[in-house]
Amino acid sequence: MTLFLITFAVIAAVIFFMAIGVMFGRGAIKGTCGGVNNGECVCVQKCEKRRKQEAMAENH
């Protein structure tokens, strides 16, 4: 039971601090270029993989 309570407290603390981060305007977690995001790149500077994908798309 003690292990459960410690685990619950740690997880609750993590969720609490994540919520505080969101309230103070921390940006959303973003994926990488070429990820699951329907091919939408959210990177500030495009990575090599994304540049190759766009070059292949332009050639077809």
Side-chain angles (χ1 to χ4, degrees):
M1 185 66 168
T2 304
L3 181 60
F4 172 76
L5 293 175
I6 292 170
T7 305
F8 182 79
V10 169
I11 292 173
V14 168
I15 292 171
F16 173 76
F17 287 115
M18 286 172 41
I20 295 295
V22 169
M23 286 189 279
F24 284 107
R26 184 191 163 281
I29 297 173
K30 295 179 174 66
T32 60
C33 292
V36 189
N37 219 7
N38 293 331
E40 304 255 345
C41 186
V42 294
C43 303
V44 175
Q45 182 177 0
K46 294 182 181 176
C47 57
E48 185 66 30
K49 181 179 177 182
R50 185 62 180 184
R51 287 190 292 243
K52 286 180 183 177
Q53 285 179 344
E54 289 179 353
M56 291 295 287
E58 289 177 5
N59 292 333
H60 291 286

